[in-house]
């Protein structure tokens, strides 16, 4: 149980285009989902927290107009990287928190490469 | 913000040996968790230890927590090649639901 999926697993896009990454909790309802960014050989940096039906809360230094987050249902959150640039290339990981506990379950990650 | 700091940054051991890594943090916590990440993959939850616990075991894993020193250790006994991965500690600061990750320890187990 407690499986989180991400789609796509890898994406290559051209500079200036937008990319949407989906995060789904497959067998549980997630009131809260988190989006992280990870640079090579580095730790995970929390980008934003999204709650179903409300606006996401962004961490300091993360541009909300650049990284659009939508938490449309208790099982789906999306992260859209708008007008992507090569410096947005990174590994993006989501996690979902269950309704009944504060344990986070992580998705497998999405490797974004902007050319 | 990043709260946990792991030590060492990298560790290389022979199969069968034990691997120990440490994590230090700065503020009071509700719990501390350890995760494993294989190269280019997502995180796998290993173990959660609550602030009122001092030691926890799960299979070949042993985690200790010393809240007075604000530190935790993860011991992997009888390591296997499949244990090669990066290991991260993550804290759940008291009063804050967000996880704060350490920089990670990269463990290489040589066959």
């Amino acid at each position: 149980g407690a499986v989180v999926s991400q789609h796509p697993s890898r994406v290559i896009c051209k500079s200036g285009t937008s990319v949407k990454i989906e995060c789904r909790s497959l067998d549980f309802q997630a009131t809260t989902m988190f989006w992280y960014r990870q640079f090579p050989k580095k730790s995970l940096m929390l980008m934003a927290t999204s709650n179903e039906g409300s606006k996401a809360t962004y961490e300091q230094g993360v541009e909300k107009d650049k990284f659009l987050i939508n938490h449309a249902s208790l099982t789906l959150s999306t992260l859209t990287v708008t007008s992507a640039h090569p410096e947005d290339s990174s590994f993006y990981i989501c996690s979902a928190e269950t309704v009944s506990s504060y344990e986070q379950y992580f998705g497998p990650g999405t490797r974004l490469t902007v050319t | 913000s990043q709260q946990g700091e792991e030590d060492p940054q990298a560790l290389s051991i022979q199969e069968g040996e034990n691997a120990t890594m440490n994590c230090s943090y700065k503020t009071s916590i509700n719990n501390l968790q350890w995760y494993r990440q294989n190269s280019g993959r997502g995180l796998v939850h290993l173990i959660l230890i609550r602030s009122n616990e001092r030691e926890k075991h799960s299979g070949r894993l042993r985690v200790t927590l010393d809240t007075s020193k604000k530190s935790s250790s993860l011991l992997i006994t009888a390591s296997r090649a499949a244990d090669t991965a990066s290991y991260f500690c993550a804290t759940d600061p008291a009063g804050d639901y967000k996880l704060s990750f350490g920089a990670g320890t990269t463990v290489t187990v040589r066959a």
Side-chain angles (χ1 to χ4, degrees):
Chain A
V3 177
V4 176
S5 71
Q6 274 184 248
H7 177 78
S9 57
R10 290 177 180 271
V11 57
I12 301 172
C13 71
K14 292 189 175 177
S15 198
T17 60
S18 295
V19 174
K20 181 185 282 188
I21 302 170
E22 291 186 350
C23 176
R24 290 182 187 272
S25 56
L26 297 185
D27 50 2
F28 66 98
Q29 293 185 327
T31 49
T32 305
M33 289 185 171
F34 303 87
W35 286 95
Y36 297 84
R37 183 173 179 176
Q38 185 180 31
F39 291 101
K41 300 188 189 301
K42 297 289 185 181
S43 185
L44 279 73
M45 300 300 295
L46 180 65
M47 297 174 66
T49 304
S50 83
N51 292 293
E52 186 263 339
S54 62
K55 288 185 180 179
T57 303
Y58 290 82
E59 295 299 299
Q60 196 171 9
V62 178
E63 298 174 60
K64 61 180 181 181
D65 295 328
K66 171 79 172 172
F67 298 100
L68 300 178
I69 291 171
N70 182 271
H71 195 151
S73 74
L74 284 172
T75 59
L76 173 64
S77 175
T78 60
L79 167 68
T80 301
V81 182
T82 63
S83 187
H85 289 281
E87 57 264 32
D88 298 326
S89 297
S90 195
F91 194 55
Y92 293 88
I93 304 177
C94 73
S95 70
E97 192 175 83
T98 65
V99 172
S100 56
S101 78
Y102 293 112
E103 192 164 341
Q104 290 186 31
Y105 299 92
F106 285 80
T110 296
R111 171 79 57 198
L112 170 64
T113 304
V114 185
T115 60
Chain B
S1 63
Q2 196 167 319
Q3 175 170 226
E5 293 293 332
E6 270 116 326
D7 166 54
Q9 289 187 336
L11 186 59
S12 180
I13 56 174
Q14 199 73 32
E15 203 166 27
E17 292 180 338
N18 296 342
T20 301
M21 59 211 88
N22 304 296
C23 168
S24 59
Y25 56 93
K26 295 172 186 161
T27 64
S28 297
I29 59 172
N30 286 321
N31 62 65
L32 185 145
Q33 303 181 55
W34 284 92
Y35 290 85
R36 185 184 75 225
Q37 184 181 35
N38 290 89
S39 181
R41 301 291 189 95
L43 273 71
V44 174
H45 184 261
L46 295 177
I47 201 162
L48 179 152
I49 186 165
R50 300 193 188 283
S51 60
N52 61 353
E53 297 175 310
R54 291 296 166 258
E55 188 171 311
K56 208 161 181 181
H57 296 254
S58 176
R60 293 184 294 112
L61 305 179
R62 174 179 166 250
V63 167
T64 64
L65 178 64
D66 186 334
T67 53
S68 67
K69 295 180 179 177
K70 290 187 169 61
S71 69
S72 173
S73 69
L74 170 66
L75 167 68
I76 305 172
T77 60
S79 63
R80 304 167 182 170
D83 294 329
T84 294
S86 291
Y87 293 81
F88 295 91
C89 69
T91 54
D92 176 8
D96 188 346
Y97 56 88
K98 296 181 283 191
L99 286 181
S100 180
F101 284 83
T105 295
T106 300
V107 175
T108 303
V109 181
R110 305 186 305 274

